Amino acid sequence: MIKIILRRVLPPIFILVVFIGLAGLLMSTQEAPEQKADEVPVPIVDVTTVTQQTVSLNLPSYGVVTPKNKTQLVTEVQGRMLAISDSFVAGGVVKRGDKLAEIEPSDYEADLMQAQASLAQAKALLEEEVARGEVAKNDWQGYDGGMPPELGLRLPQLKKEQANVKFAEAAMARAQRNLERTIIRAPFDGIIKARNVDLGQYVSLGTNLGELYDTRVAEIRLPLANGELAYLESVDNPDTEVTLSAQLAGRTVSWTGKIIRSEGVIDAENRMVYLVAEIKDPYLRDNKQEGELPLKYGSFVTAVIKGRTVDGIVKLPRHIVRDGQVAVVTADNTLEMRNVNVVRTDIENVYIKDSLIDGERISLTNINNMATGQLVKVIGEDALPESSNEDADDTPTLVAVGDQ
């Protein structure tokens, strides 16, 4: 019985002891793993070289093209519309003095004839009174009682007839003007905005016949923030150029104009100041060259106002300036986070003055947590500077970093 028990128990114990011994032997001969230093990635950046230049601090704006002069064509006499010109339609182009419409003139022709007759009668009576005065003067020549009375010389009657002649002349002039006013003429070169009457329609005094826009000069009101006025050569007299552009006929068309005045007040609703630009001959009626397109009223245009010219300006892409700082890459390829003086910012660029020197390199690549002294690798350079390779075991790994 004891032999049977020993035969069953001893083999497993023996096997366990052998395995424990082998395990101890393996553990005693094990080598420690090689320790390596943590690799620090060095970001790769793209750079641009600083170049100072003289630039105009142009100001962007926008506006709608309107005529400098526009007028409502109204009647100064009444009557029935006898004729309407073919050019008196919406979009019709007319010149100064062109006949647009005519009111039935027969009544005014009759009034003129009556005024002419009244004037002739008044002149005849004046001549008759002058003759009577000469007779009266002769009759009083032998009077020795002093100066003869004015009534005796018929001087009051003469003045009355002279006044009647002037009254008749004024009436004839009024009748002549009324007859001329039966013809509606264009007061200046322009384009018809609208026509409100038709042939045969009866019109009274002050009836609005239509609206005429002057095509000689166009104006555009351009809003600017109050602070942007500092970039103009003169705030009180902003006499400067402006370039306007708009999409016409499927392409971008530009025109050159001039800022002629400032409206001089700040708009209470949007806190903007408005400059007024002027464009001569927007419809190209005086001088049109091949390929040119007119600047039509009602067009929405973008404007670039020529600003003050400044020397020593560095222009950089807007995205690389963060919190008023740029990353300067020094000669040993380390970063210097430098505060810069931004004098102007537009949609794409910033304009910096008195902060950067010609030849300095600015990082175009944005890296998270940029800090002064951070080591970088510049795209296009073969190796890091020698000062950063003194210990080969500590050479960091280069890792390309894109814009963040």
Side-chain angles (χ1 to χ4, degrees):
M1 187 68 179
I2 295 175
K3 289 181 180 181
I4 294 171
I5 293 174
L6 290 177
R7 193 181 305 124
R8 292 179 178 178
V9 173
L10 287 180
I13 294 176
F14 177 75
I15 293 171
L16 180 61
V17 171
V18 172
F19 273 103
I20 292 175
L22 291 174
L25 179 61
L26 291 174
M27 291 178 64
S28 63
T29 59
Q30 170 181 313
E31 294 183 0
E34 181 180 357
Q35 298 293 326
K36 293 185 178 180
D38 293 336
E39 295 180 345
V40 179
V42 174
I44 299 177
V45 298
D46 193 10
V47 297
T48 183
T49 302
V50 169
T51 302
Q52 296 185 5
Q53 53 187 312
T54 300
V55 300
S56 294
L57 302 179
N58 296 332
L59 305 173
S61 189
Y62 56 89
V64 177
V65 182
T66 59
K68 182 175 183 178
N69 300 306
K70 58 182 178 180
T71 185
Q72 301 288 335
L73 299 170
V74 298
T75 56
E76 297 179 89
V77 294
Q78 60 186 10
R80 195 170 304 279
M81 298 301 300
L82 180 65
I84 293 179
S85 171
D86 293 338
S87 60
F88 190 22
V89 291
V93 177
V94 297
K95 293 184 178 181
R96 179 179 180 179
D98 284 355
K99 179 180 176 180
L100 303 180
E102 183 179 3
I103 297 174
E104 173 60 48
S106 56
D107 290 342
Y108 299 98
E109 290 173 346
D111 291 342
L112 178 59
M113 293 176 64
Q114 289 180 351
Q116 290 172 339
S118 297
L119 177 60
Q121 183 179 10
K123 286 183 176 180
L125 292 174
L126 176 60
E127 291 176 358
E128 182 181 346
E129 189 57 43
V130 170
R132 289 178 179 178
E134 290 295 331
V135 172
K137 187 184 296 184
N138 292 331
D139 292 342
W140 284 89
Q141 282 183 353
Y143 178 69
D144 56 359
M147 291 293 296
E150 290 187 356
L151 185 60
L153 297 175
R154 301 189 64 85
L155 294 180
Q157 294 87 334
L158 179 62
K159 292 179 180 179
K160 176 183 177 181
E161 297 302 333
Q162 289 174 340
N164 287 338
V165 170
K166 290 183 178 179
F167 181 84
E169 289 175 343
M172 190 185 73
R174 183 182 302 107
Q176 181 68 45
R177 288 195 302 271
N178 287 340
L179 180 59
E180 293 173 354
R181 289 167 179 169
T182 60
I183 297 178
I184 312 301
R185 299 187 182 276
F188 44 70
D189 295 348
I191 183 171
I192 303 299
K193 174 63 170 59
R195 193 188 80 189
N196 304 325
V197 293
D198 289 316
L199 192 64
Q201 180 178 343
Y202 185 87
V203 295
S204 58
L205 291 176
T207 298
N208 186 352
L209 303 179
E211 189 172 10
L212 178 66
Y213 283 177
D214 189 354
T215 56
R216 295 171 298 179
V217 182
E219 286 190 344
I220 306 96
R221 297 175 71 235
L222 303 174
L224 287 178
N226 189 34
E228 292 182 321
L229 296 178
Y231 303 124
L232 297 174
E233 293 287 354
S234 173
V235 177
D236 298 329
N237 185 25
D239 184 7
T240 185
E241 292 183 357
V242 60
T243 300
L244 306 172
S245 59
Q247 293 291 330
L248 290 179
R251 61 189 178 97
T252 301
V253 186
S254 297
W255 302 267
T256 301
K258 192 174 184 180
I259 301 295
I260 58 171
R261 70 179 186 274
S262 169
E263 293 189 351
V265 296
I266 298 176
D267 192 285
E269 296 182 358
N270 56 22
R271 311 308 301 169
M272 304 290 277
V273 177
Y274 284 87
L275 302 182
V276 179
E278 187 176 273
I279 301 290
K280 301 287 187 181
D281 191 24
Y283 277 77
L284 306 176
R285 298 185 63 180
D286 296 333
N287 183 20
K288 182 177 181 180
Q289 299 180 2
E290 186 177 357
E292 285 187 306
L293 293 177
L295 179 58
K296 296 182 179 180
Y297 294 142
S299 299
F300 181 83
V301 295
T302 57
V304 177
I305 302 170
K306 184 178 180 181
R308 185 162 45 90
T309 301
V310 182
D311 298 327
I313 292 293
V314 176
K315 184 171 72 172
L316 295 176
R318 182 172 180 172
H319 72 275
I320 69 173
V321 180
R322 291 186 172 184
D323 299 326
Q325 292 184 329
V326 297
V328 180
V329 180
T330 62
D332 59 356
N333 280 16
T334 58
L335 295 182
E336 176 191 347
M337 302 306 297
R338 184 180 301 177
N339 293 319
V340 292
N341 175 31
V342 178
V343 297
R344 171 141 180 80
T345 303
D346 58 28
I347 297 177
E348 297 180 352
N349 302 306
V350 293
Y351 301 86
I352 298 170
K353 183 174 175 60
D354 301 331
S355 303
L356 301 169
I357 303 173
D358 282 344
E360 287 189 311
R361 300 179 299 173
I362 306 298
S363 173
L364 296 176
T365 306
N366 286 326
I367 305 172
N368 288 333
N369 301 320
M370 280 184 169
T372 297
Q374 182 178 358
L375 184 65
V376 294
K377 171 71 167 62
V378 177
I379 292 177
E381 291 186 353
D382 295 334
L384 293 172
E386 294 182 359
S387 59
S388 63
N389 290 313
E390 293 178 356
D391 190 346
D393 293 336
D394 296 333
T395 300
T397 301
L398 301 179
V399 177
V401 178
D403 290 350
Q404 302 294 320

